[in-house]
Amino acid sequence: MAEQRRSGGDGAPASERVLVVFPGYHRAWAAWIAQCLESHGHQATLQRWDPPRETALEDSLADLLLASGPVLLVLDDWFFELGPRPPGEWNDALRGFVAANADRFAAVNLTNRSLLPATAVLEPASLWGLSEEAAEERLMRRLGLERRRVPRPVAHRARYPENRCEIWGEIPRRNPRFTGRDDLLTGLHQQLADADRGAAVCTLLGMSGIGKTQLAAEYAHRFSTDYDVVWWVNSDDRNIQRDRLGELAVELGLRVGNEPGERIRAVREALRRGEPYGRWLLIFDGWDDTDGVDTLLPQGAGHVLVTSRNRGWGEHTDILEIPAFLRAESTAYLLRRAPHISAVEADEVAAEFGDVALPLVQAASWLGESRMEVPEYLRMVRERRLSTVDEPATGEGFPRSSMTSWSILLNRLRGAQPQTIDILGLCTSFAPGRIPLGLIRAYPHADLPEQLRWMSSDLTAWTRALDTLVNYSVLTRETRGPVGVEMGPHQESVHMHRLVHDIVSKLTSEDSRVVHRQAVRTLLAQADPGNPLDSRNWPRYAELLPHLEPSGALSSAQPRVQETVLNCLRYCYRSGEYKGGLDLARRIRDHWSRIMDPLAQPMLDLTTQESNILRASGRFRDAYELDRAVHQRLGDAEAPSELAELSTKGAMAASLRHLGRYDDAHELQTEVLDGYGRLLGPDEGPALIARHNHGVGLRLLGRYQEAYELDLDTLARRDNVLRARHISTLNSGGAVAHDLRLLGRYRDALARQETVVRLSLQVLGARHPQTLSARGQLVMCRRREGGHTQDLGPEMASLLDQFAQVHGREHYRTLAFTTNYGNYLREHGDLAQARELIDRAEAGYRALLGPAHPVATGMLSNTGLVMQAAGERAEALSMFEASFAGLTATLGADHPWVLGCALNAASARNLGDRITDAVELSRETLRRARHTLGHEHPLTLSCQVALAADLRAAREHEEAGKLEEDGMLGLTRTLGAQHPHTISARQRTRPYWDFEPYLG
C-alpha cells in the first residue's frame, strides 16, 4: 500500500475510497482524516467500531473488508481493549488474519505509548505530536495516495484535533477509561446540530451516579473541534454558577466590571451575537434548580448542555434521559479496569450494582487495585460485614450494596494511607461540588487541629493522598484561575460528587466530623476578605457561601465565624442576590435563635441585613414588621443599646417611606439623625447614612429645596470622608442631581448627573443596580432639559430591557422606568405602546403597594393622560379626578404631586366644558404652587399658563392675557426661549404633568 496509486484513464490520479475505522472517542480524528482525504479528491467513509466480545475478532475484522478500498484503523493503546479482549487474542488476529490481508489494512497511531508487538504488521504511521501539515503528509504517504488539492466548498472545516479551541474553560480531564455511550453521544451531537438557532439546548437527566457529568465531559472532548469556545459551569451552587459564567466575559475580552450580573448579561449578549465567536458550547453541570433559567441560559448559534436530576427542565429544554449502562458497557468497563476477572464475573458485579456508573467505577477501582477475586468481593458486599451504617437517604433507588462497597474502599485506604481519610473527612465538612481544599495550605498550620496540621506542612503527603483519591475516582481535581495558568497548591480545588459526599459522610465517625467541621469553619473565617462592599471580593464570597452550613459555621459561637457569615449575607445584598440572601438569612436566624439572645449584636446585625434585602426585593411590609418586632423587644429590655435602637428606627423609617407613610417616616428619621449626631458625630458612617435617608424623606414629602440643601451638605461630607469614587458618595451625587431636577434646575441637574454616571460606570460597571438607576436619571435629566435633539426612545427602550434583566419586570425600579418610558412614548405619539407600558406599570404598582398607596394613586394620572391623548375625554377626567382626590387625602393639598394632578384635572374639566370648575381649580392650584415651589418653578409657570387658558375659555381675556404674558416671560427666563415647554406655551398648547413614581 506504500506505492503511489495508479492514475485514471485521463492521466489524473485515480480517486480512492477509504474506510476509516475508529473507536467513538476518536471521532474528531476520524473527521479530520476524512476531510484530508476528500480535500485531495478521495472518498472517505467513517465507521465507528466496537466489536462485541462474543464475536470472534477475525470475523469482526473480516466484516471490515466487505468495503471496497483500503481500511484505515485509527489506533492508540486503548484501541486494543475494544471488546475488551486479552492482548493474546489481538496478537493472534494481527499475526494471522491481518497479516494475510496486509494489502487492505493500514493504520495511524495517535499515542507515544507502546502498542501491541504484533501491531507492526499494520505499519502504523505515527501522527503523535505532529503539526497539521506534517500529519496530513504522513497520512497520505501511509495510504500511498498523491496529495492534490481539489477545491470544493466546505460548510464547516474540521479543526486539527491537536489544536485546541480558542477558549477551553475548566473542562474536567478526559477520562481515558470512558466506556460505551457512543450512540448517546452521537445522537446528542446530531440533536444539537439539527436544532434551530437559539434552541440548541439539551438537558442530560438522570439520577446521581448515573454518569451525566462524565457524559458531558466526554462530549466536550470528543466534539471540541466543532467549537471555538467550550466553557464548563459548575452549577451545584447558584453563586458559584453565576461567578463562573461571568468569568467567561474576561476570556471573551468583554469590557465589563466585576459585578456578576453585569458580566453574565455581557456574556449572553456576546454569545447571542456570535461575537467574537459564533461556535460555542456551554455546559452547566449539576443545575438542579431551574430558577434563573431566563437570565442565565444563553441563546444564539452555539450549543448548551445541562446536567440535572430535576425533571422540571423539560419545561425549558429538550431532555435526554441518561439510562444505566447497557450490560455490555458495564462488563467492558469492569474488564478494562480489572483485567484479571472473567466476563461472567464482570456480569455478576454489574448486576449487583444495577449497571449504575458511579458504584461500578468504585467496584472497578477496588477490584483493579486490590486484585481481589470477585467471589470474595461480592461476598463481603452482600454480607455487609464491614459496615453496619444505613444507606444514605438519597431517595433515588441507589443500590444498597454501594454502602458496603464504600466501606471496603475506606477501610483499605485507612490501613494503607490514613492521610486520605483525613482529606475525605475534611471534604465532607464542605458542601458537595467544588471544594476549595487549597485553603488549608494558604494559612498557618497552627490554626488547624493538631491531627490535621500535616496537610499544611507536608506537601508531599498532601499530593500523594490527593493522587490516591483521584485515582480511586473519589475526587476530581480542579483549579481556579485564568485558563492555561498553572496554579499553586493553595489555589487547588477538588470536586466531590453529591452522592459520594452523602456516602462518605455516613461512614465518617462523629468525633472526626467534629474536628473536621471546626477546621473548615476556621478556614472559611480566615479566607473572608472582610469587605463585602468591594465587588472585587465577590467571587471569593461566592466560593465561601455554600460551605457555611455544612461546616457548622451557621451555628458557630465564635465571633470571627459569625462575622464571616454576616459578610456573606452582606455580599448577597450588595451583589443583588436577593433570593439567595433571604434564604441564607432565614437559615442563619434558625441557627442563631438557638444559641444567642434575640438582642445580641449579631442578631441585630442579621436583622439589619435581612431588612435591607427584603426592601430591595420589594417586600416592604415584611421588612417593616421584622424591624418593628425588634424595636418592641428593645423597648422592653432593661438597658437597651441606644445605637441599636437608632439602627432599628432607621430601618423602620426606610420601610415606612416605601409604604407611603411619609410623615411617620420623616418623624422617625429626624429622631435617628439627631441621635447619631449626638452619639457619634456628623461624619461617622451611620450618621452620614441617616443624613442621606433624611434627604430621601424630604424629597418624598415634596420639600425639594430642603432636600437639596441637606443632600449637598451630605455630599460634601462623604466626599471628604470617603472620597469621590466611593459608592456612597456617588449615591449622594445622584441625590443632589435628582433634587435639582425636581426644583426645575434642569441644566444644573444634567451637568451633575453626567458626572455621576461617568464615575459610576468606571467604579461599578454599566449594569450595577446603582449605575442603572443613575443612567435612568440621566435620561430623565436630558428629557427635562429639552436641549437634546436626539431621539431618546432607543436609549430608553434599551435601558428598560436592562432594568428587567437586572431586577425583573415586576420590580419597583423596573416599574418606575417603565412609567417614564411610557410617558415619553405618549408625548411622542406612540399611544399604543404607551398605553401598554402605563397599564403594565399601574397594575404592577397596585399589586405591589395596594391601591391606596400614593404612587399607585399617582399612576392614575398617567393613565388619564394616555386616555386623553386617545380622545377618551370622559374616562380621562375620571382618572384625573380620582388621582387628584386620592393624593390630596394622603399627602395634603400643597404636595407637588397633588399640584401636578390638579393641573391635569383642570385641563380635563376644560375639555369637558366645565369651564367654571376648571378656572376655580386652576386658580387655587396656581396659588398653592407659588407658595410651595416659588413663582419661577416650571410647574408653577405651567399652572399659570393653564389658568390663562381657562380664563380665555371663560371669556375673561384681560386677566388671561396678563397671566399668559407673565408666564411666557417666566418660562423664557427659567428654561430658555427654545425649550419645548416655552414653545408649547407660545403655541397655546395646554400644559400637562407627568407623574414620576418614586419610592425612595
Side-chain angles (χ1 to χ4, degrees):
M1 191 177 291
E3 299 178 1
Q4 295 295 320
R5 298 293 177 187
R6 290 175 298 181
S7 299
D10 58 357
S15 174
E16 188 69 84
R17 182 186 298 273
V18 180
L19 179 67
V20 182
V21 178
F22 64 97
Y25 48 84
H26 282 326
R27 177 175 293 276
W29 275 102
W32 177 82
I33 289 171
Q35 178 178 271
C36 288
L37 293 170
E38 290 168 359
S39 69
H40 292 285
H42 304 287
Q43 300 178 54
T45 301
L46 301 184
Q47 180 163 328
R48 175 170 55 83
W49 196 57
D50 190 358
R53 183 184 174 107
E54 56 272 17
T55 302
L57 189 53
E58 287 82 356
D59 291 343
S60 295
L61 290 167
D63 288 341
L64 299 178
L65 296 185
L66 296 177
S68 61
V71 176
L72 178 70
L73 303 180
V74 181
L75 304 181
D76 67 356
D77 48 333
W78 283 94
F79 180 92
F80 297 103
E81 295 199 20
L82 291 173
R85 302 169 187 275
E89 185 177 351
W90 267 107
N91 278 326
D92 290 345
L94 290 168
R95 294 183 182 119
F97 182 83
V98 174
N101 296 277
D103 61 324
R104 295 289 309 280
F105 285 102
V108 292
N109 178 18
L110 305 179
T111 180
N112 66 335
R113 290 185 288 272
S114 59
L115 302 179
L116 293 176
T119 310
V121 69
L122 293 167
E123 301 180 9
S126 176
L127 304 186
W128 186 82
L130 297 182
S131 67
E132 182 173 11
E133 183 177 358
E136 181 177 333
E137 189 277 332
R138 188 169 292 184
L139 166 70
M140 300 300 290
R141 187 168 68 244
R142 174 62 188 90
L143 289 170
L145 301 176
E146 289 188 10
R147 301 178 69 190
R148 51 190 179 91
R149 290 292 180 188
V150 178
R152 61 179 63 187
V154 178
H156 169 53
R157 179 172 175 80
R159 181 186 286 107
Y160 182 51
E162 289 292 305
N163 297 336
R164 176 147 291 181
C165 57
E166 297 294 328
I167 297 176
W168 181 256
E170 291 193 23
I171 314 304
R173 294 176 184 174
R174 193 170 196 178
N175 181 3
R177 299 183 177 98
F178 186 88
T179 297
R181 307 291 202 183
D182 283 335
D183 290 335
L184 271 177
L185 287 162
T186 302
L188 175 60
H189 181 256
Q190 193 63 47
Q191 178 179 334
L192 292 174
D194 292 344
D196 294 335
R197 177 186 172 91
V201 186
C202 184
T203 297
L204 309 183
L205 183 69
M207 74 179 210
S208 291
I210 202 68
K212 303 183 295 294
T213 297
Q214 284 289 322
L215 191 70
E218 176 62 21
Y219 180 92
H221 286 280
R222 186 170 297 194
F223 299 106
S224 62
T225 54
D226 287 358
Y227 303 101
D228 299 315
V229 176
V230 181
W231 195 255
W232 189 277
V233 181
N234 285 314
S235 301
D236 295 290
D237 178 83
R238 175 177 171 80
N239 293 296
I240 291 178
Q241 177 192 42
R242 288 171 56 81
D243 175 45
R244 177 65 186 145
L245 180 57
E247 288 175 0
L248 181 54
V250 178
E251 300 300 325
L252 292 174
L254 307 180
R255 299 175 63 86
V256 290
N258 292 322
E259 195 271 316
E262 178 188 355
R263 285 185 167 193
I264 289 169
R265 288 183 290 274
V267 166
R268 294 182 73 217
E269 179 62 18
L271 297 180
R272 184 190 65 79
R273 295 195 315 267
E275 298 174 359
Y277 302 107
R279 301 188 305 166
W280 47 263
L281 170 67
L282 261 63
I283 301 174
F284 294 86
D285 183 42
W287 192 354
D288 289 333
D289 185 354
T290 58
D291 287 350
V293 169
D294 294 337
T295 58
L296 292 178
L297 273 186
Q299 294 183 334
H303 300 163
V304 180
L305 287 181
V306 177
T307 73
S308 181
R309 301 176 300 173
N310 185 353
R311 291 189 174 275
W313 277 99
E315 300 177 8
H316 306 282
T317 71
D318 290 335
I319 291 292
L320 179 61
E321 293 212 34
I322 308 305
F325 274 147
L326 298 174
R327 181 55 53 85
E329 293 173 332
S330 298
T331 56
Y333 182 79
L334 287 164
L335 289 167
R336 288 174 189 171
R337 293 295 306 271
H340 70 287
I341 71 176
S342 69
V344 173
E345 289 172 330
D347 187 273
E348 193 173 0
V349 174
E352 183 70 26
F353 292 103
D355 294 300
V356 176
L358 185 60
L360 281 174
V361 168
Q362 304 304 326
S365 297
W366 168 253
L367 289 167
E369 293 288 333
S370 68
R371 310 290 294 179
M372 180 181 285
E373 295 302 323
V374 168
E376 181 184 358
Y377 174 76
L378 290 178
R379 178 169 50 81
M380 295 172 68
V381 168
R382 290 164 182 165
E383 292 177 0
R384 303 172 61 85
R385 289 190 296 107
L386 303 182
S387 174
T388 58
V389 299
D390 294 327
E391 182 180 6
T394 61
E396 299 189 53
F398 202 77
R400 293 183 59 83
S401 53
S402 63
M403 289 299 293
T404 307
S405 175
W406 274 90
S407 295
I408 295 171
L409 175 61
L410 294 186
N411 281 339
R412 182 175 188 275
L413 291 174
R414 186 176 288 109
Q417 199 172 349
Q419 293 97 332
T420 59
I421 302 301
D422 286 337
I423 292 179
L424 273 181
L426 198 70
C427 286
T428 61
S429 295
F430 288 92
R434 183 191 289 274
I435 297 174
L437 201 56
L439 289 177
I440 204 166
R441 301 197 54 79
Y443 300 100
H445 73 277
D447 293 329
L448 296 171
E450 185 174 355
Q451 60 267 50
L452 300 181
R453 290 178 184 173
W454 68 269
M455 296 184 182
S456 178
S457 59
D458 191 343
L459 177 60
T460 301
W462 167 270
T463 303
R464 184 172 58 250
L466 275 182
D467 287 343
T468 299
L469 292 171
V470 170
N471 188 54
Y472 273 101
S473 304
V474 179
L475 301 176
T476 303
R477 270 199 177 90
E478 297 181 347
T479 55
R480 300 287 285 163
V483 175
V485 176
E486 189 70 24
M487 310 304 290
H490 65 286
Q491 295 164 306
E492 190 166 24
S493 293
V494 297
H495 189 276
M496 186 180 231
H497 192 280
R498 187 191 312 273
L499 189 58
V500 176
H501 188 278
D502 290 344
I503 293 174
V504 176
S505 296
K506 273 286 189 181
L507 297 173
T508 302
S509 71
E510 183 59 32
D511 290 343
S512 296
R513 189 177 296 114
V514 169
V515 172
H516 293 147
R517 294 177 81 196
Q518 180 184 351
V520 172
R521 291 195 296 272
T522 301
L523 292 172
L524 296 178
Q526 289 172 330
D528 179 5
N531 184 9
L533 275 69
D534 189 338
S535 61
R536 292 171 297 183
N537 294 327
W538 290 352
R540 170 53 63 89
Y541 282 112
E543 189 172 49
L544 299 182
L545 195 149
H547 306 295
L548 296 178
E549 188 153 25
S551 68
L554 299 186
S555 55
S556 174
Q558 296 180 352
R560 186 175 180 186
V561 175
Q562 291 175 351
E563 186 62 21
T564 296
V565 169
L566 286 171
N567 279 341
C568 287
L569 186 59
R570 293 180 180 111
Y571 148 75
C572 290
Y573 171 55
R574 289 293 178 176
S575 65
E577 294 291 343
Y578 302 143
K579 181 179 179 182
L582 289 176
D583 177 66
L584 176 61
R586 176 189 56 77
R587 289 185 283 127
I588 296 171
R589 189 173 296 280
D590 287 345
H591 286 281
W592 284 7
S593 60
R594 303 174 197 148
I595 62 174
M596 68 176 71
D597 187 275
L599 298 183
Q601 190 58 51
M603 286 290 281
L604 295 174
D605 292 340
L606 168 62
T607 299
T608 297
Q609 297 307 316
E610 187 174 4
S611 176
N612 286 338
I613 299 174
L614 284 168
R615 276 192 299 277
S617 303
R619 294 171 55 180
F620 311 129
R621 175 63 61 182
D622 291 341
Y624 176 71
E625 294 298 336
L626 178 65
D627 292 314
R628 189 167 69 90
V630 173
H631 183 252
Q632 288 177 344
R633 288 196 187 98
L634 288 168
D636 295 337
E638 293 184 3
S641 164
E642 191 170 356
L643 284 175
E645 286 191 293
L646 290 174
S647 176
T648 303
K649 288 179 179 178
M652 291 172 62
S655 296
L656 288 171
R657 285 193 293 273
H658 285 89
L659 290 169
R661 294 169 55 182
Y662 304 141
D663 289 320
D664 293 340
H666 175 69
E667 181 180 349
L668 201 56
Q669 189 66 49
T670 301
E671 183 182 341
V672 172
L673 179 59
D674 292 343
Y676 276 133
R678 174 172 47 82
L679 293 175
L680 301 177
D683 292 336
E684 291 298 317
L688 290 173
I689 292 173
R691 290 176 68 83
H692 177 85
N693 290 338
H694 193 51
V696 173
L698 290 170
R699 201 175 303 125
L700 287 166
L701 287 169
R703 293 159 61 175
Y704 300 150
Q705 184 63 37
E706 294 175 69
Y708 169 67
E709 292 170 1
L710 181 64
D711 287 334
L712 198 61
D713 181 69
T714 305
L715 174 61
R717 292 176 184 274
R718 280 181 161 171
D719 190 37
N720 183 53
V721 175
L722 304 174
R723 300 303 180 223
R725 296 169 65 87
H726 192 277
I727 186 172
S728 298
T729 307
L730 295 174
N731 203 18
S732 284
V736 170
H738 196 175
D739 296 330
L740 286 168
R741 184 164 60 81
L742 295 176
L743 286 169
R745 296 170 56 181
Y746 300 141
R747 293 189 187 90
D748 294 339
L750 176 60
R752 188 174 288 275
Q753 190 65 21
E754 285 176 336
T755 301
V756 170
V757 170
R758 176 173 54 81
L759 291 176
S760 297
L761 289 169
Q762 294 172 3
V763 175
L764 303 174
R767 298 199 183 187
H768 186 281
Q770 185 168 310
T771 305
L772 200 55
S773 294
R775 293 168 64 198
Q777 288 292 324
L778 180 60
V779 170
M780 295 306 295
C781 287
R782 289 172 176 163
R783 183 182 171 207
R784 299 302 184 206
E785 192 269 341
H788 287 70
T789 57
Q790 77 270 25
D791 180 12
L792 295 176
E795 182 179 0
M796 295 186 80
S798 175
L799 268 176
L800 180 56
D801 286 341
Q802 293 173 46
F803 269 101
Q805 291 169 7
V806 172
H807 297 296
R809 290 194 174 275
E810 304 307 316
H811 193 275
Y812 63 93
R813 292 194 181 102
T814 305
L815 294 175
F817 199 78
T818 300
T819 302
N820 293 335
Y821 184 36
N823 286 333
Y824 174 87
L825 291 171
R826 185 212 71 242
E827 187 179 64
H828 288 76
D830 190 346
L831 293 184
Q833 190 176 0
R835 184 188 292 271
E836 178 186 345
L837 294 177
I838 296 298
D839 287 349
R840 181 199 306 167
E842 182 195 339
Y845 276 124
R846 192 165 56 248
L848 179 67
L849 306 171
H853 192 285
V855 168
T857 305
M859 284 297 300
L860 299 176
S861 190
N862 288 327
T863 301
L865 288 172
V866 175
M867 290 177 170
Q868 185 168 274
E872 303 165 15
R873 293 183 175 181
E875 294 84 350
L877 175 60
S878 176
M879 288 292 172
F880 291 141
E881 296 287 7
S883 181
F884 174 48
L887 287 180
T888 301
T890 56
L891 301 180
D894 291 332
H895 195 286
W897 289 359
V898 176
L899 299 175
C901 286
L903 175 67
N904 293 338
S907 171
R909 291 180 184 182
N910 187 321
L911 291 173
D913 292 328
R914 293 171 52 188
I915 305 301
T916 302
D917 292 341
V919 170
E920 179 182 349
L921 180 57
S922 289
R923 196 181 296 279
E924 178 65 12
T925 303
L926 176 59
R927 184 185 68 80
R928 292 184 181 278
R930 284 172 170 171
H931 170 74
T932 301
L933 299 171
H935 287 248
E936 297 293 302
H937 192 282
L939 179 54
T940 304
L941 295 170
S942 292
C943 291
Q944 185 169 332
V945 172
L947 175 57
D950 293 334
L951 289 170
R952 274 198 307 274
R955 303 185 186 281
E956 298 182 24
H957 296 290
E958 183 176 352
E959 183 182 2
K962 184 177 180 181
L963 281 170
E964 183 179 55
E965 182 180 359
D966 185 52
M968 284 294 304
L969 290 173
L971 287 170
T972 302
R973 285 193 305 271
T974 303
L975 302 179
Q978 299 305 312
H979 192 281
H981 289 353
T982 308
I983 295 173
S984 294
R986 190 180 302 124
Q987 296 171 345
R988 290 187 171 175
T989 301
R990 178 80 186 219
Y992 57 85
W993 175 78
D994 287 342
F995 173 69
E996 286 186 34
Y998 175 61
L999 290 175

